[in-house]
Amino acid sequence: AFKMRFAVVFAIFAACVAFAAAQPADTCCSPNQWEGEAYGMSQLRNVSFFEFISYDYVNKRFRADVYTNPFGTNKRYEFSVLEKFNSPGVNTLSILNAPTASR
C-alpha cells in the first residue's frame, strides 16, 4: 500500500513538473537599449575598477569603458571594448586604449 501511494504521489509530482516545463518561456525582461555602471575589485592586482556599459540590441552593439581606481585621486581611463554583432556567429570586437575613446 505504501509503495502504491508513493508511486501515485511521484506520478502526480512528475506530471506537475512536466506541465510546468512545457509552458512557453516569458519574453526577455530587458529593454532593447540600456546603459549601466559596474564596480568591482581585482584582488590579484589590488585595484578597484569602474565600467560604464552601453547595450543596444536594436543596432546590435555593446560598449564598455573601463576605469581603474574610480574612488581614488588617481582615477584613470584604461580601455574600451566595442562589439558589433554582425550576423549569427560573426562579431566584430575592438579594444581601444586611447584617451580619446573615453566618454
Side-chain angles (χ1 to χ4, degrees):
F2 174 75
K3 287 183 181 180
M4 183 58 126
R5 273 190 261 163
F6 178 76
V8 170
V9 170
F10 182 76
I12 292 171
F13 176 74
C16 290
V17 169
F19 179 75
Q23 299 303 310
D26 292 337
T27 58
C28 182
C29 56
S30 175
N32 286 337
Q33 297 171 324
W34 55 265
E35 293 183 334
E37 299 174 350
Y39 296 89
M41 170 74 176
S42 170
Q43 293 181 348
L44 181 65
R45 296 183 182 196
N46 193 27
V47 65
S48 58
F49 63 89
F50 164 79
E51 296 178 3
F52 186 80
I53 303 167
S54 300
Y55 176 75
D56 184 352
Y57 177 79
V58 174
N59 296 303
K60 308 291 189 246
R61 296 183 297 197
F62 169 84
R63 177 180 178 144
D65 298 320
V66 181
Y67 299 84
T68 54
N69 300 313
F71 308 110
T73 56
N74 57 345
K75 176 180 173 182
R76 192 172 88 188
Y77 166 78
E78 293 293 329
F79 60 91
S80 292
V81 176
L82 307 170
E83 188 165 12
K84 173 77 173 152
F85 306 100
N86 301 317
S87 62
V90 180
N91 300 339
T92 303
L93 180 66
S94 304
I95 299 176
L96 307 175
N97 190 4
T100 56
S102 73
R103 293 182 158 236

